[in-house]
Amino acid sequence: MVETIEGWRCIGCGKVDAPAPCIGICQDRRVELVLAHDYAELAWRVEQLEAALALIARVTPKPDQLDASWAALQQRARTLLGEHGS
């Protein structure tokens, strides 16, 4: 699980502020933040790609179904990659 913090972001300049009670030892450091929506979208994509890889790694098609299985895996990969066509 990823830790998140609640804060405020300016819709004009993009400034981010996440106030918290100071205990007297604060030191500001530069950090890189990711919007939770963007992170969730990427996490979902990784989950889908891992599921597709798991099929490749763990499923052995019957010999007479190799071509159909390969075509199905290719189609799933194209869908995940956002490609269309054959």
Side-chain angles (χ1 to χ4, degrees):
M1 202 62 178
V2 173
E3 180 182 352
T4 62
I5 59 171
E6 188 173 318
W8 301 95
R9 182 174 180 215
C10 176
I11 62 171
C13 71
K15 174 187 63 89
V16 175
D17 186 17
C22 180
I23 59 174
I25 57 169
C26 294
Q27 293 183 11
D28 290 336
R29 303 264 197 257
R30 183 184 172 116
V31 295
E32 292 183 317
L33 305 171
V34 176
L35 295 176
H37 176 270
D38 292 340
Y39 177 84
E41 188 175 307
L42 287 172
W44 176 86
R45 184 169 171 81
V46 167
E47 185 178 301
Q48 297 300 308
L49 292 168
E50 285 178 345
L53 283 174
L55 281 176
I56 294 169
R58 298 184 183 120
V59 174
T60 303
K62 295 179 182 178
D64 62 333
Q65 294 295 314
L66 287 173
D67 289 338
S69 295
W70 179 249
L73 288 171
Q74 283 183 312
Q75 184 54 50
R76 184 171 181 160
R78 284 187 194 102
T79 299
L80 290 171
L81 293 170
E83 297 177 6
H84 304 288
S86 54

